[in-house]
Structures are given as structure tokens and as C-alpha cells.
Amino acid sequence: MNIFGQGSNRSRRPGGTTTNKTVVKKDPLFPSDLFTEEQLRNGAIVLHVIGVIYMFVALAIVCDEFFVPSLDVIIEKLGITDDVAGATFMAAGGSAPELFTSIMGVFVSFNDVGIGTIVGSAVFNILFVIGMCALFSKTILSLTWWPLFRDCTFYSVSLLTLIYFFRDNKIYWWEALVLFIIYILYAVFMKFNQQVERCFQRGE
């Protein structure tokens, strides 16, 4: 008889005595699908696709109509420069999906989906987003070497640090603190970005 996911399993010891073993069934991490495998093969998967598209459209509307204007107001009220705003508020806004995906991966599903999402998202932003913006731009984009050099340097340092910390497949609290400090240093550096850029340009 099973009660609340627990099952009873009886086994007989040598000598005729009987022992009871209780087997506890773990609840699934996520709720089961509303459709069966057969229904999904017969076309119900289309409803999942429609749901994903709906969420993408809803996210785009919320970000475009509410989130970005709110960030603009916060930046204007606090008097933050564009460089610092891009490294803090704008970066946090663009990485909010990865943040919540990582939280779900760490505290709900207990797997490493967050790491793949973060690293994969960075590759997606560098290759796909920049490529698509340049491909469909109606005007000539005037770019300089400094932003690319600056951000790639910090990104390379942070990525190498992350790889080094993952050598034992564990992240300790002090390692997480080091990663956080690197980000703080990046934000502080962005505060003096224009002065540093002028120094490099004078040295050319």
C-alpha cells in the first residue's frame, strides 16, 4: 500500500523473519506535461511552440514599453554616465533572463543549466547579436577599437578565472566572491573609461 509516494517492500531474512523496507519516491522537479507522448507526436507540440512565441513577444513588449524607459529614468535621476549605466543597469537588464535561469538551475532543478546559459548567452551576444545588428543596419556603423579591447579583456579575465575555479567542478563562497569583485572592478573602471581611453589615444 502506497501512501503519499511511499511504498512498502517486504523481504525475508534467513530463518523466516520478515523485514519491511520503506521506499520513498521522490517528487519530480517539474510538473508533468499536460499531454502524453502520443498527443505531442500528433501535433500537440504546436501548442508548446505557440506558448514559447507568446512569452518572447510578451518579454519584448515589457522590456520595450516599461523596463528600458524605467532604466532611463533611474540613470537620469542618479546622474550616472552612459558607460557606467551600460556596465550596470543596462547589463543587468539584458542579463536578467540568464540570472533567473541560473537561479532556477541552482535552487530548483539542481543542475548546471545556469553555467551553460551564461556562457552560451555571452557567445550568442558576441556573435549573433552584433552580426545581426551590423547586417541589418541602414547606416554605416562607426566603431572604434577601444570598446572591443576593453570589454574583451575583462571578459577574457573573468572567463579564465571561471575556468580555473571549475577545475574541481565546485564553486566555493570565496571563489564566487572573487568573481563578484572582478565585476565591481569592471564597473569602477567604467567610471573612468573616458579618461583611460584618452590616455591610450594620446599614446598612439
Side-chain angles (χ1 to χ4, degrees), residues 1-12:
M1 180 177 179
N2 294 335
I3 301 176
F4 300 111
Q6 295 182 352
S8 178
N9 186 15
R10 292 186 176 183
S11 61
R12 186 175 297 276

Side-chain angles (χ1 to χ4, degrees), residues 33-46 48:
D33 201 327
L34 295 176
F35 305 102
T36 62
E37 292 290 338
E38 183 178 358
Q39 290 173 334
L40 292 174
R41 294 192 189 98
N42 292 334
I45 189 67
V46 176
H48 289 293

Side-chain angles (χ1 to χ4, degrees), residues 58-200:
L59 180 63
I61 294 175
V62 170
C63 292
D64 185 54
E65 298 292 336
F66 301 99
F67 188 73
V68 174
S70 299
L71 289 179
D72 292 336
V73 173
I74 293 174
I75 293 169
E76 182 180 356
K77 294 294 184 180
L78 296 179
I80 301 175
T81 61
D82 293 338
D83 293 328
V84 178
T88 54
F89 288 100
M90 293 299 181
S95 300
E98 291 87 345
L99 173 62
F100 288 103
T101 301
S102 300
I103 292 175
M104 294 296 293
V106 172
F107 297 104
V108 177
S109 60
F110 302 102
N111 57 30
D112 59 350
V113 65
I115 299 301
T117 301
I118 295 172
V119 178
S121 174
V123 175
F124 179 84
N125 292 334
I126 293 174
L127 300 179
F128 184 83
V129 174
I130 296 178
M132 293 298 290
C133 291
L135 184 63
F136 292 98
S137 177
K138 297 181 180 180
T139 59
I140 298 177
L141 299 177
S142 178
L143 304 177
T144 60
W145 64 272
W146 171 251
L148 181 64
F149 171 77
R150 176 199 64 207
D151 293 340
C152 286
T153 301
F154 275 96
Y155 180 71
S156 299
V157 171
S158 60
L159 191 59
L160 291 175
T161 306
L162 181 63
I163 293 173
Y164 177 76
F165 287 161
F166 258 101
R167 69 191 187 281
D168 56 354
N169 295 326
K170 294 180 181 179
I171 293 292
Y172 298 95
W173 69 268
W174 62 269
E175 295 174 336
L177 181 61
V178 170
L179 295 174
F180 184 72
I181 291 175
I182 293 176
Y183 172 73
I184 296 299
L185 293 176
Y186 173 68
V188 173
F189 180 86
M190 294 301 293
K191 175 66 176 178
F192 306 96
N193 173 62
Q194 295 180 356
Q195 294 88 327
V196 176
E197 183 179 3
R198 284 195 293 266
C199 292
F200 273 90

